[in-house]
């Protein structure tokens, strides 16, 4: 039996979430390091914080998509 389109999409989302989770974890550590070193590197804080927020927002959206796809099956 071949996988359905939904199964393929779910697998692709899971792979994308796994990859993004790794990047999000690294961004969180980078943000933490900058925060610990304040006021040094103060100029980096806004861009790193914005990028971290964007990654976690995207991760949240992907997890919601996955949840909805899994519920529809």
């Amino acid at each position: 039996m071949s996988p359905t389109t939904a199964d393929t999409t779910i697998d692709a989302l899971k792979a994308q979430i796994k990859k993004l989770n790794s990047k999000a974890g690294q961004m969180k550590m980078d943000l933490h390091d900058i925060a610990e070193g304040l006021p040094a590197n103060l100029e980096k804080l806004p861009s790193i914080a914005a990028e971290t927020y964007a990654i976690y927002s995207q991760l949240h959206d992907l997890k919601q998509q996955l949840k909805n796809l899994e519920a529809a099956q």
Side-chain angles (χ1 to χ4, degrees):
M1 184 166 105
S2 65
T4 65
T5 302
D7 289 338
T8 303
T9 303
I10 287 173
D11 290 342
L13 272 175
K14 285 181 179 179
Q16 194 174 2
I17 288 169
K18 184 177 179 181
K19 182 178 177 184
L20 202 55
N21 257 332
S22 177
K23 184 170 182 167
Q26 182 60 51
M27 290 302 304
K28 182 170 65 171
M29 286 189 289
D30 291 349
L31 185 59
H32 178 266
D33 290 346
I34 289 172
E36 277 191 334
L38 287 174
N41 295 320
L42 181 63
E43 68 283 351
K44 293 181 181 179
L45 185 58
S47 63
I48 297 294
E51 189 176 348
T52 303
Y53 175 82
I55 288 172
Y56 274 95
S57 180
Q58 183 181 4
L59 190 54
H60 173 71
D61 292 345
L62 289 174
K63 286 180 178 181
Q64 189 61 49
Q65 287 177 28
L66 179 60
K67 183 179 176 182
N68 292 341
L69 279 173
E70 289 176 334
Q73 281 193 330

